[in-house]
Amino acid sequence: MARRHRLIKAGPEEVWAVLADGGRYAEWVVGTASSEPVRGRWPAVGAAIGYEVRLGPLRLANETVVRRLVAGSVLELEAHAGALGTARIALEVHPWGEYALVTVDEHPLRGTAGALHNAGAEMLIQLRHRTMLARLARICESEAGEGPAASREAASGAARGSGEPGTRV
């Protein structure tokens, strides 16, 4: 079972807003080229988003269904992967001071992926989660004004307005 966490320098509300927008799924989920709500009102239980995975000229379309929801803190999904079966993906958002601690927990649920699951597959899922959480952090932190670009902009703005010798005005 692959489990990973990351501290995101944005409030839990900002993180939840991204998770609760089914149209933004492809922005932060690794391997997903596009996504759109297809059934229900995301992220209500039973709602689904369709997504497409592209591997060179190959395009695979599937869907992810919300199986459990605790608004603002828990989103549990069942991602369909065609012949490989499905996976349970649980995302939890916890307040951590002024920031959000996000945990993702994923494991095969149905189909051949469960039978093929091994240490190598677990390592690949961990790498995917690391990248996925980094993407989510980049989105949330930039929208909250905490990302690297925002920090550089704030620093350059402070330097410009400082009136210190050697700074640009």
Side-chain angles (χ1 to χ4, degrees):
M1 175 164 52
R3 185 172 173 90
R4 180 164 286 279
H5 66 274
R6 180 170 178 134
L7 182 66
I8 297 179
K9 294 178 181 175
E13 300 81 15
E14 288 88 6
V15 173
W16 188 257
V18 174
L19 296 177
D21 185 346
R24 298 189 76 180
Y25 188 81
E27 290 180 40
W28 57 273
V29 175
V30 174
T32 305
S34 64
S35 64
E36 64 181 352
V38 294
R39 188 173 58 253
R41 188 166 186 198
W42 188 270
V45 173
I49 54 171
Y51 67 91
E52 184 177 72
V53 175
R54 295 182 191 147
L55 301 167
L58 182 63
R59 293 177 181 221
L60 305 169
N62 273 303
E63 70 175 26
T64 295
V65 180
V66 177
R67 296 296 184 204
R68 182 171 174 256
L69 171 72
V70 178
S73 63
V74 178
L75 181 62
E76 290 192 27
L77 309 170
E78 185 172 356
H80 296 260
L84 288 176
T86 67
R88 173 193 171 263
I89 304 166
L91 296 144
E92 296 180 11
V93 180
H94 301 280
W96 197 263
E98 63 187 294
Y99 300 134
L101 180 63
V102 179
T103 304
V104 61
D105 176 5
E106 178 177 353
H107 64 270
L109 190 61
R110 304 177 200 198
T112 56
L116 300 174
H117 194 76
N118 58 33
E122 189 77 14
M123 185 178 68
L124 291 173
I125 293 170
Q126 286 287 345
L127 291 171
R128 179 177 177 264
H129 286 176
R130 179 179 294 163
T131 304
M132 186 170 76
L133 288 170
R135 287 181 181 182
L136 182 62
R138 189 170 44 251
I139 292 166
C140 297
E141 290 171 359
S142 72
E143 291 179 5
E146 295 286 342
S151 297
R152 283 192 302 274
E153 187 176 302
S156 69
R160 280 193 305 268
S162 70
E164 303 257 334
T167 60
R168 289 189 236 166
V169 179

